[in-house]
């Protein structure tokens, strides 16, 4: 019995009980004695099984007389992880995946299921989802790309013929990118440090951002302890870049935790001016404070505050960052749990986003800038929020954006990143200027 495979099944069962996949796996890894090679295998198998859950369940159900929902959870998790190895892991021979799955049954006190697991996985080996006939296109796309029908319908409505390409893009592994802390080290000096330590990196179009090719812990990357960098996606880096922050500015980050955009703003200020970072949850503010301390950013102040509620104690700011709560459709490759999240509350979410943006506008200086961003590609949460705000606030206008990333969509200065076109997170950025 393979300990790595057992750990994966354990984690799948915990996720089924409403655990977040990243937290479940991290906790399991920290308490395990797996080698680095086994950890890499378990990570790929676990996230892959979570990511392809709808597809795997559909195929398994085709070869079962009993509904999966009525079967023992342990047996379902064993079969799902076994089938993932057969269909998606070329390094694992079919017989090994099947034998290990059968061997896991007694470990989870399901010895009587050994014959069933063996028979079903053998039957599933030759199944080709591309040859399957579905009742409608929404169901087909949902099963093929393992994402719930709510999300399929949203993307179909907003992007039409591009829907399937967008869904394919949800399997693209995001680049591991960092933001260089130029208050401590220049970009060239940091790149020289990486080269000296034989760490491979790639230049990125957004100034100060680089992709690092690294398989270990973030803390093992040269310069972590010294605060020379922090992990941040290129889309988030661009959102702060688009604000055009100048030294001496006062910046308000209304939805700041875990702090990446506040850090980018503080770096742009070169530790001048001020950054006020808000979150209603004090433990999340602690994340910002700890990050700022490691990076040596002294101009960040944290404040417990809800973005949609007007705070009469706030002054007027030159730049306000509104990275609002959203459905997260754009970051599904990073957070596979979101594939199965209901979108029933998206209208209420869009209202909250509008309320935060409206509240932010009350804190802005004349000629000041608001950057509105989300990590979703749902137009109800993006373009429609901006259009409604501009309709109700004629003293605001959209600023021209100069995005250096190739293949972004620009609709009247409203920028959307799609993963299959850019290779980065799905993301939205609009920049608003207060004229009077």
């Amino acid at each position: 019995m393979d300990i790595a495979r057992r750990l994966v099944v354990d984690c799948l069962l915990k996720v089924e009980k409403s655990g977040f996949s990243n937290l479940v796996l991290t906790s399991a890894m920290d308490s395990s004695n797996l080698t680095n090679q086994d950890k890499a295998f378990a990570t790929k198998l676990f996230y892959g099984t979570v990511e392809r859950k709808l597809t795997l369940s559909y195929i398994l159900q085709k070869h079962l007389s009993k509904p999966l929902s009525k079967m023992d959870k342990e047996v379902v998790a064993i079969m799902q992880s076994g089938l993932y190895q057969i269909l998606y892991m070329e390094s694992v021979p079919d017989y090994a995946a099947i034998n290990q799955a059968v061997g896991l049954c007694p470990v989870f006190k399901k010895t009587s299921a050994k014959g069933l697991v063996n028979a079903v996985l053998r039957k599933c080996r030759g199944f080709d989802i591309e040859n399957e006939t579905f009742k409608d296109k929404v169901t087909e796309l949902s099963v093929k790309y393992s994402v719930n029908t709510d999300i399929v319908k949203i993307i179909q409505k907003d992007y039409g013929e591009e829907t399937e390409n967008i869904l394919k893009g949800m399997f693209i592994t995001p680049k591991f990118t960092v933001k260089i802390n130029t208050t401590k080290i220049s970009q060239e000096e940091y790149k020289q440090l990486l080269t000296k330590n034989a760490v491979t990196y790639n230049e990125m179009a957004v100034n100060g951002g680089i992709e690092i090719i690294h398989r270990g812990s973030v803390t093992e990357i040269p310069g972590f302890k010294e605060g020379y960098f922090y992990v941040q996606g290129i889309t988030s880096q661009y959102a702060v870049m688009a604000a055009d922050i100048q030294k001496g500015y006062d910046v308000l980050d209304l939805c700041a935790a875990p702090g990446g955009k506040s850090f980018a703003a503080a770096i742009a200020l070169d530790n001048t001016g001020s950054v006020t970072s808000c979150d209603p949850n004090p433990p999340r503010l602690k994340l910002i404070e700890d990050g700022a301390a490691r990076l040596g950013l002294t101009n960040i102040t944290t404040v417990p505050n809800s973005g949609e509620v007007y705070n009469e104690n706030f002054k007027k700011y030159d730049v306000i960052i509104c990275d609002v709560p959203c459905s997260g459709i754009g970051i599904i490759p990073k957070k596979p749990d979101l594939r199965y999240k209901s979108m029933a509350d998206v209208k209420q979410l869009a209202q909250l986003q509008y309320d935060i943006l409206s509240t932010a506008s009350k804190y802005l200086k004349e000629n000041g800038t608001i950057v509105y961003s989300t990590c979703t590609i749902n137009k109800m949460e993006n373009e429609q929020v901006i259009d409604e705000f501009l309709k109700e606030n004629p003293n605001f206008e959209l600023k021209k954006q100069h995005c250096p990333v190739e293949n972004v969509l620009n609709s009247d200065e409203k920028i959307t990143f799609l993963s299959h076109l850019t290779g980065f997170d799905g993301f939205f950025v609009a920049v608003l200027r207060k004229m009077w």
Side-chain angles (χ1 to χ4, degrees), residues 177-181 218 224 227-232 237 259-265 267 294-295 297:
T177 57
V178 304
K179 171 79 174 173
I180 299 169
N181 180 8
V218 173
F224 178 84
Y228 291 164
F229 73 92
Y230 66 95
V231 178
Q232 187 177 38
Q237 292 185 40
K261 293 181 181 64
S262 289
F263 303 154
I267 291 168
R294 182 180 69 83
L295 296 167
L297 301 172

Side-chain angles (χ1 to χ4, degrees), residues 212-251:
I212 293 181
I213 312 302
H214 178 71
R215 291 186 177 274
S217 168
V218 173
T219 59
E220 297 170 356
I221 299 174
F224 178 84
K225 291 180 181 177
E226 295 84 354
Y228 291 164
F229 73 92
Y230 66 95
V231 178
Q232 187 177 38
I234 290 300
T235 51
S236 294
Q237 292 185 40
Y238 169 70
V240 179
M241 187 194 94
D244 192 25
I245 295 169
Q246 304 296 312
K247 289 184 180 181
Y249 273 13
D250 292 316
V251 178

Side-chain angles (χ1 to χ4, degrees), residues 295-315:
L295 296 167
L297 301 172
T298 58
N299 56 349
I300 295 177
T301 302
T302 60
V303 177
N305 181 76
S306 295
E308 73 276 19
V309 179
Y310 180 73
N311 189 330
E312 61 184 14
N313 295 318
F314 283 172
K315 59 183 180 182

Side-chain angles (χ1 to χ4, degrees), residues 67-120:
L68 280 172
S69 59
K70 300 239 175 133
M71 294 182 65
D72 291 334
K73 301 292 185 186
E74 296 87 351
V75 176
V76 173
I78 289 168
M79 289 196 296
Q80 286 173 335
S81 59
L83 185 56
Y84 181 82
Q85 293 167 67
I86 292 169
L87 297 181
Y88 300 107
M89 295 182 76
E90 293 181 1
S91 62
V92 181
D94 289 358
Y95 73 85
I98 295 169
N99 288 346
Q100 289 292 341
V102 171
L104 282 172
C105 292
V107 176
F108 288 92
K109 300 180 180 178
K110 301 297 173 186
T111 303
S112 61
K114 288 172 67 174
L116 175 70
V117 169
N118 181 60
V120 170

